[in-house]
Amino acid sequence: LLRRGVLCITCIACSVCMVRFNKYLMHEGRFPHAFALAAVHTGLATALSLALFLVCPWMFPAVPVVRMRAPQVMWNMVAIGAMFSIGVVASTKAYLYSGVALLQFMKEGNIFLAFMMSCFAGLQQPTTTRVLVLVWIVGSAALAGRGDMHLSAVGIGLQLVAQVAEATRFVLSEFMLKGRGFKLDPLTFTLLSAPVCFAGLTFGAVLTLDTEVGIAFCAWWRPILISGVLAFALNIVNAMLLRELSVVGLFMCGLVKDFSLVALSSAFFGESVVGLQWVAFGSAMCGVCAWCWINTWPEEQP
């Protein structure tokens, strides 16, 4: 339980730092190139994991499994990379057609979507209590969204594609990390998945490439590389959490991270948060605690 708590706190801390750092970088006068930044992140993750493998191969205990089941492993990794690329493209394009408030509202359904996929894959056991707690959490988190709910069929469709791709990617990742016959360790998983994601994002970055990318990179390469190291650390922690918890548990950490960002932004950056949002945040946090309880002590469920 202590190990899981430390991992959750580490994941939330890395995510908060990553979001604030990327928000700083994505400013119009710095490096506002989402595809290129994501490609740098996955490229650096590939380089760092490969360097670790060459220097400390004992840190990759699942490599023999990969060698024995190479075709199945690589097909799954290709699927994970494809889902990652589709999710990035669709979510980025969705902002061109719909407002942030509507998309954030839709994103809160990721937890329920991941839960249903996990049940279908045999990674979760559906119970009435779990479904009710998830409805509680998703409803509270959605209530915290505010702003102009600009409706667009194209925007909604793109966001749905992005959410299905993201949930599918994480469920496949959990299967590779915990599934029978695989059970990859986090570093081996990153070593295999990062190059595939890098290839997909590089293709997208090339299609949207402009001359300003290289100039901006030369000017801001130091913070960009720091952001890439943070992304690499976050990938490792996410994989460890998927092994310890589940994709639903990982999304729960994402919710806590979102609320932590809101609290920090309100306290230190002057961003406005209304009373109803604080009530919704508190309700969602109670729901997360209830989820942790029913998964830690399932025999005590009502």
Side-chain angles (χ1 to χ4, degrees), residues 186-199:
L187 281 173
T188 302
F189 177 80
T190 303
L191 176 66
L192 296 172
S193 61
V196 183
C197 296
F198 175 62

Side-chain angles (χ1 to χ4, degrees), residues 126-226:
T127 65
T128 303
T129 304
R130 287 181 175 179
V131 172
L132 290 176
V133 170
L134 284 176
V135 171
W136 171 11
I137 294 170
V138 172
S140 299
L143 187 63
R146 65 189 181 96
D148 180 21
M149 293 289 182
H150 176 62
L151 297 178
S152 165
V154 176
I156 291 172
L158 286 169
Q159 184 58 32
L160 285 173
V161 170
Q163 290 182 224
V164 171
E166 183 179 25
T168 303
R169 174 170 70 94
F170 278 115
V171 170
L172 282 172
S173 299
E174 183 181 355
F175 180 72
M176 294 300 295
L177 289 160
K178 298 169 66 176
R180 184 178 302 172
F182 294 105
K183 295 188 178 179
L184 303 183
D185 60 273
L187 281 173
T188 302
F189 177 80
T190 303
L191 176 66
L192 296 172
S193 61
V196 183
C197 296
F198 175 62
L201 286 173
T202 301
F203 179 74
V206 168
L207 292 180
T208 58
L209 189 64
D210 59 58
T211 55
E212 294 181 0
V213 174
I215 299 171
F217 182 82
C218 291
W220 296 94
W221 66 270
R222 290 183 181 87
I224 290 171
L225 291 184
I226 294 172

Side-chain angles (χ1 to χ4, degrees), residues 4-280:
R4 292 180 176 181
V6 171
L7 280 175
C8 288
I9 293 172
T10 305
C11 178
I12 293 166
C14 287
S15 298
V16 169
C17 292
M18 181 82 175
V19 170
R20 296 305 312 183
F21 214 93
N22 285 351
K23 187 173 182 180
Y24 169 80
L25 279 173
M26 290 294 291
H27 188 273
E28 187 61 36
R30 299 187 183 104
F31 195 79
H33 309 285
F35 275 114
L37 184 61
V40 170
H41 287 174
T42 51
L44 191 58
T46 301
L48 289 174
S49 55
L50 183 59
L52 271 177
F53 177 68
L54 293 174
V55 175
C56 307
W58 52 268
M59 297 177 67
F60 298 77
V63 168
V65 175
V66 176
R67 289 171 178 161
M68 286 188 296
R69 307 193 63 178
Q72 300 97 316
V73 171
M74 293 316 300
W75 275 115
N76 281 320
M77 289 302 167
V78 168
I80 289 171
M83 291 299 105
F84 180 74
S85 300
I86 291 170
V88 170
V89 172
S91 62
T92 302
K93 294 294 184 183
Y95 283 102
L96 299 176
Y97 300 94
S98 296
V100 174
L102 174 64
L103 299 183
Q104 192 61 42
F105 181 88
M106 292 179 64
K107 283 180 181 179
E108 307 308 340
N110 272 359
I111 296 178
F112 205 85
L113 183 61
F115 177 72
M116 298 304 295
M117 287 186 173
S118 296
C119 291
F120 182 75
L123 298 170
Q124 288 277 355
Q125 293 297 322
T127 65
T128 303
T129 304
R130 287 181 175 179
V131 172
L132 290 176
V133 170
L134 284 176
V135 171
W136 171 11
I137 294 170
V138 172
S140 299
L143 187 63
R146 65 189 181 96
D148 180 21
M149 293 289 182
H150 176 62
L151 297 178
S152 165
V154 176
I156 291 172
L158 286 169
Q159 184 58 32
L160 285 173
V161 170
Q163 290 182 224
V164 171
E166 183 179 25
T168 303
R169 174 170 70 94
F170 278 115
V171 170
L172 282 172
S173 299
E174 183 181 355
F175 180 72
M176 294 300 295
L177 289 160
K178 298 169 66 176
R180 184 178 302 172
F182 294 105
K183 295 188 178 179
L184 303 183
D185 60 273
L187 281 173
T188 302
F189 177 80
T190 303
L191 176 66
L192 296 172
S193 61
V196 183
C197 296
F198 175 62
L201 286 173
T202 301
F203 179 74
V206 168
L207 292 180
T208 58
L209 189 64
D210 59 58
T211 55
E212 294 181 0
V213 174
I215 299 171
F217 182 82
C218 291
W220 296 94
W221 66 270
R222 290 183 181 87
I224 290 171
L225 291 184
I226 294 172
S227 175
V229 172
L230 276 173
F232 175 66
L234 184 60
N235 284 337
I236 301 298
V237 174
N238 281 345
M240 294 173 71
L241 266 179
L242 278 175
R243 286 195 77 180
E244 290 288 332
L245 299 175
S246 64
V247 62
V248 179
L250 183 63
F251 280 8
M252 295 284 183
C253 285
L255 269 183
V256 177
K257 177 261 296 180
D258 290 341
F259 299 152
S260 301
L261 275 171
V262 169
L264 288 172
S265 298
S266 175
F268 298 106
F269 298 98
E271 295 186 13
S272 175
V273 182
V274 299
L276 178 61
Q277 286 180 297
W278 288 120
V279 173

